[in-house]
Amino acid sequence: MNNIKVAAIQMVSSTHPDENLETMKNLVRSAAKLQADWVLLPEYWPLMGKQDSDKLAVAEPLGCGPFQQALSELAHECGVVLFGGTVPLKSRELDKVLNTMLVFDADGERLSCYDKMHLFGYSGLGERYAEADTILAGQSVPSLRVDGWGVAQGVCYDVRFPEFFRAQLPFDVLMLPAAFTYTTGLAHWELLLRARAVENQCYVVAAAQGGLHESGRKTFGHTMIVDPWGEVLNVLGEGEGIVTAELDVGRLKSVRARLPALSHKML
């Protein structure tokens, strides 16, 4: 396991998939020019619809479709491991999609496929969200190692469930695409990311949607990379952009050696 450079991309996705696709490509290419080894995209990068049901029209079968093809080709073109945020995939229920993170290696081969398990629901302050109305929950998380690093996977609302990541131990880095609302993000986003980093003594790489969308929804942004001691290494408040940081093996080992909490875990 060697040090690697990671990039997390922030977008403000529109209601136009073709436009979002071009924005995504440009940002990944820019991340590659910054010499990133891994690149993480945000949740819902292909579409932030005016209605939650809009994503049904663009859902792809696993293994084919313009979103998945673009991710595979771009990973190969740029020579990066591309954690493809989330893409809507067709599910066994016609009125629901899977909200899926796909991972492609530098040869363009798919390494992993994780369907979001915890579905966000919130009502208050004039807002209401119910992902379960249009998304079918996933059932399992695949084990993943990339470049010698153990990788935990989660999507957005998953971050509120610490036991979900404990079940994935051992791992060294947690990859989390998200589209936190402004209300919940302002209250809890950084707190939750730093808590997951500290309790699992791991790096956390979180790529977010960040701004005002055509639907009127406002996402919190603050794409962030956190180290195993809970220190924020880099953050982007709002708007499109890229944050980068080095995942340092020495730092990871030092934190775990000085405070061997993972070896003290009883349950």
Side-chain angles (χ1 to χ4, degrees):
M1 187 165 72
N2 297 312
N3 293 0
I4 57 172
K5 187 173 184 178
V6 297
I9 286 175
Q10 186 159 288
M11 293 177 60
V12 188
S13 294
S14 73
T15 59
H16 307 288
D18 290 344
E19 177 183 292
N20 297 327
L21 189 58
E22 288 307 307
T23 297
M24 181 277 290
K25 289 178 180 179
N26 290 336
L27 287 166
V28 172
R29 288 171 178 143
S30 294
K33 289 178 181 177
L34 295 172
Q35 299 185 315
D37 301 297
W38 297 5
V39 181
L40 175 65
L41 295 172
E43 186 180 26
Y44 297 139
W45 67 262
L47 176 70
M48 290 287 284
K50 292 182 179 179
Q51 302 177 70
D52 287 344
S53 58
D54 289 353
K55 53 184 169 286
L56 296 171
V58 298
E60 302 178 347
L62 178 62
C64 63
F67 301 142
Q68 294 170 84
Q69 182 178 349
L71 292 172
S72 173
E73 291 176 354
L74 198 58
H76 187 212
E77 172 195 327
C78 295
V80 298
V81 178
L82 184 54
F83 292 78
T86 66
V87 169
L89 297 185
K90 293 183 182 297
S91 80
R92 64 177 182 272
E93 298 186 17
L94 295 179
D95 61 344
K96 295 184 179 182
V97 302
L98 297 164
N99 189 19
T100 304
M101 176 158 67
L102 301 148
V103 184
F104 294 89
D105 68 15
D107 294 321
E109 298 296 321
R110 191 177 76 230
L111 298 178
S112 180
C113 175
Y114 164 60
D115 303 322
K116 184 179 181 180
M117 294 178 68
H118 297 97
L119 302 182
F120 179 57
Y122 175 80
S123 60
L125 301 175
E127 297 177 285
R128 180 186 178 275
Y129 302 96
E131 287 188 327
D133 290 349
T134 55
I135 296 174
L136 184 66
Q139 299 298 311
S140 62
V141 185
S143 175
L144 182 62
R145 291 193 69 83
V146 182
D147 297 331
W149 290 75
V151 180
Q153 300 177 76
V155 174
C156 199
Y157 193 47
D158 285 334
V159 77
R160 292 185 181 272
F161 300 89
E163 69 280 4
F164 173 73
F165 299 104
R166 288 293 195 175
Q168 297 184 56
L169 284 171
F171 59 84
D172 308 302
V173 56
L174 190 166
M175 304 295 282
L176 187 93
F180 255 57
T181 70
Y182 187 85
T183 300
T184 58
L186 181 63
H188 301 143
W189 173 249
E190 181 176 334
L191 173 68
L192 290 164
L193 295 179
R194 295 179 70 191
R196 297 296 83 83
V198 169
E199 70 197 9
N200 295 300
Q201 298 185 314
C202 69
Y203 285 96
V204 172
V205 183
Q209 294 279 349
L212 183 63
H213 303 267
E214 290 175 81
S215 63
R217 177 175 174 176
K218 187 175 183 181
T219 46
F220 184 63
H222 290 78
T223 288
M224 189 177 298
I225 302 172
V226 186
D227 86 353
W229 195 246
E231 294 183 4
V232 176
L233 300 179
N234 207 343
V235 62
L236 172 64
E238 293 187 349
E240 292 176 0
I242 303 166
V243 298
T244 65
E246 183 177 43
L247 304 191
D248 187 322
V249 176
R251 174 66 165 168
L252 181 74
K253 290 181 176 179
S254 175
V255 168
R256 291 177 172 181
R258 288 184 288 123
L259 179 62
L262 295 178
S263 66
H264 296 157
K265 187 169 74 72
M266 299 298 292
L267 297 176

